[in-house]
Amino acid sequence: MTTRTVRLALAATSLAATLAVAGCVSGEGNTSSAAEPAAGTTASGDGWSADTLTLDFATYNPLSLVIKDQGWIEATLGDAVDVEWVQSAGSNKANEALRAGAVDVGSTAGSAALLARSNGSPIRTIDIYSQPEWSALVVPAGSDITSVEDLAGKSVAATKGTDPYFFLLQSLDEAGVDPASVEVQNLQHADGKAALENGSVDAWSGLDPLMAASEAEAGSTLLYRNVDFNTYGFLNATQDFLDASPDLAQVVVDAYEKARAWAQENPDQVVSILAEVAGIDPAVAETVITERTGLDIDPVPGQAQREVLEVVGPILVESGDVADQATVDTALDELFDPSFAEAADPSTIAD
């Protein structure tokens, strides 16, 4: 498997500087640069294809927090489009919201996006927002568990349908541990953290920033880390939304690319935003942002992400989460829509 594993801190780089010049110059980007609605769509009074845009934000997606905090999409769309924000507690919840039409664009891990597409959700990945090390296996302070092999016969909390769940399955497979020998308690991320800390489970397949907070506040330790088992941050939308509102989808992706440059130039502010939204100590937020979040990546979904998901695909089948490998293969062939990230222009986004 070929996977880019370099984790870059959010210090300003030459790439960030270039993007910042393109996307953050005062006076650039206003509603007059709005894309024309596609043929067959219904435009609002100011030329947009719809009058409401619903987006998710998540503490595991720092760029979403930046965009929400800065109000760039609202400034770009003006009064013609009502921008609504819905918090996703995990990839599984983002997938549920996408499938139900409760959000137009949602944040998931790559593994969760593939799972959803394999099980019939008509989502497409339109942008890659990060290459994180957001998941690891966690044990409580003083635990006598010292290796993945020790998890046989133990209970582990994990949120099914999310990267931590697939991280657990990949880790067990690598260690030669039969998943059937492990009691997986399907708990949402925050509940998994609580279960670990109160002794209800022996281990937890964690998610940042909750994982970093548990380390700092409860003395929990990371039993096993592997950045290659983390499957990138995927920004997804339903095909219906992309067909009806390609102009709004492009605005969202443009905003993400503006946020990518801004975040790399302003890491301290990103830390502050995450700390406030997640309700965590700034030092914990700093660990997440500077040590475990890679933003300096190609945002166009493509071969790097496909290679990671080709490893996860068989695990989806073996675990019973997807019926067969042919279904996974078809979903992977259909998942990516790179056109929006390829056309991204941060200069169209208003300050």
Side-chain angles (χ1 to χ4, degrees), residues 279-346:
I280 57 178
D281 188 273
V284 174
E286 184 176 8
T287 295
V288 173
I289 295 300
T290 63
E291 297 181 19
R292 301 179 185 172
T293 304
L295 297 178
D296 190 6
I297 60 171
D298 185 350
V300 179
Q303 188 60 30
Q305 291 74 41
R306 185 181 183 94
E307 289 174 355
V308 173
L309 295 184
E310 284 174 343
V311 175
V312 173
I315 296 174
L316 299 180
V317 178
E318 291 167 10
S319 64
D321 293 295
V322 180
D324 53 60
Q325 187 61 44
T327 300
V328 174
D329 292 342
T330 299
L332 186 52
D333 287 340
E334 297 173 345
L335 181 59
F336 299 156
D337 184 344
S339 62
F340 295 94
E342 290 171 342
D345 182 0

Side-chain angles (χ1 to χ4, degrees), residues 47-317:
W48 299 106
S49 59
D51 56 15
T52 301
L53 174 64
T54 307
L55 309 172
D56 85 336
F57 69 101
T59 56
Y60 56 83
N61 176 2
L63 295 187
S64 70
L65 306 184
V66 169
I67 294 167
K68 183 176 183 292
D69 179 77
Q70 296 296 302
W72 293 326
I73 291 179
E74 291 85 345
T76 300
L77 298 178
D79 295 335
V81 180
D82 182 22
V83 179
E84 300 175 350
W85 292 91
V86 176
Q87 185 165 9
S88 291
S91 293
N92 59 327
K93 297 301 182 182
N95 275 328
E96 289 172 9
L98 282 164
R99 189 153 196 163
V103 298
D104 297 314
V105 182
S107 317
T108 73
S111 57
L114 179 61
L115 175 63
R117 182 81 197 194
S118 297
N119 285 327
S121 181
I123 62 170
R124 307 292 302 280
T125 300
I126 58 176
D127 189 79
I128 304 300
Y129 59 82
S130 70
Q131 184 185 19
E133 189 191 6
W134 52 21
S135 184
L137 299 182
V138 190
V139 292
S143 173
D144 59 2
I145 297 173
T146 60
S147 69
V148 177
E149 288 83 357
D150 292 341
L151 294 178
K154 299 295 196 296
S155 60
V156 182
T159 308
K160 288 191 174 182
T162 70
D163 236 24
Y165 173 63
F166 297 112
F167 186 98
L168 171 63
L169 294 183
Q170 290 181 86
S171 301
L172 294 176
D173 179 70
E174 181 186 60
V177 177
D178 184 353
S181 71
V182 177
E183 179 192 353
V184 178
Q185 293 198 19
N186 183 22
L187 300 174
Q188 198 61 45
H189 301 299
D191 296 328
K193 173 179 178 290
L196 179 81
E197 294 175 358
N198 66 28
S200 298
V201 295
D202 300 302
W204 169 48
S205 196
L207 181 73
D208 273 333
L210 294 168
M211 185 168 66
S214 188
E215 288 179 88
E217 297 165 3
S220 303
T221 60
L222 301 189
L223 172 69
Y224 180 67
R225 300 170 68 173
N226 189 332
V227 67
D228 289 347
F229 288 176
N230 293 262
T231 61
Y232 289 87
F234 280 36
L235 192 68
N236 308 309
T238 62
Q239 189 63 59
D240 284 348
F241 171 71
L242 297 178
D243 289 342
S245 296
D247 55 338
L248 296 181
Q250 190 64 63
V251 167
V252 174
V253 172
D254 291 348
Y256 263 82
E257 292 319 299
K258 178 168 183 169
R260 188 185 308 281
W262 188 93
Q264 290 179 94
E265 286 201 322
N266 301 279
D268 291 345
Q269 293 186 57
V270 180
V271 166
S272 296
I273 293 169
L274 174 59
E276 180 177 357
V277 175
I280 57 178
D281 188 273
V284 174
E286 184 176 8
T287 295
V288 173
I289 295 300
T290 63
E291 297 181 19
R292 301 179 185 172
T293 304
L295 297 178
D296 190 6
I297 60 171
D298 185 350
V300 179
Q303 188 60 30
Q305 291 74 41
R306 185 181 183 94
E307 289 174 355
V308 173
L309 295 184
E310 284 174 343
V311 175
V312 173
I315 296 174
L316 299 180
V317 178

